Amino acid sequence: MTPILLAIACLIAVTLGYGGLCAASPFGDCRKCRGMGHGLKADRKGRLKRGKDCRRCRATGKRIRVGRWLYNRAARIHRAGTTD
């Protein structure tokens, strides 16, 4: 197998794997708050306290994956174009 065909096969496997992940689990942890829904801050003694709610995920700790967002957008455009 040539290196080009091997690279193409690896890219196809990664793409199909990510597509399966987006279909099975469309939501992932928020990258900003790491899935906690809020930040952490330390008080004057160094103890950790709960910080402000995460604005990116609106304090849920979950965000929609990029692949699922693209699929939803494509499905919405297709649905809008095929209805009368």
Side-chain angles (χ1 to χ4, degrees), residues 3 7 12-13 21 24 36 40 42-43 52 54 59-61 65-66 70 77:
I12 290 173
L21 176 69
M36 289 180 26
L40 292 176
D43 62 1
K52 293 182 179 179
C54 179
T60 61
R65 295 185 195 274
V66 174
L70 289 172
I77 290 171

Side-chain angles (χ1 to χ4, degrees), residues 3-5 9 14-15 18 21-22 25 28 39 50-51 53 55 61-64 70 77 79 83:
I4 302 268
L5 289 176
V14 167
T15 303
Y18 183 69
L21 176 69
C22 289
S25 176
R50 186 181 196 282
D53 288 344
R55 294 186 310 175
K62 296 292 180 185
R63 296 268 297 178
I64 193 161
L70 289 172
I77 290 171
R79 202 171 27 246
T83 58

Side-chain angles (χ1 to χ4, degrees), residues 23-36:
S25 176
F27 294 97
D29 288 340
C30 178
R31 292 183 303 270
K32 186 174 181 183
C33 65
R34 297 186 188 111
M36 289 180 26

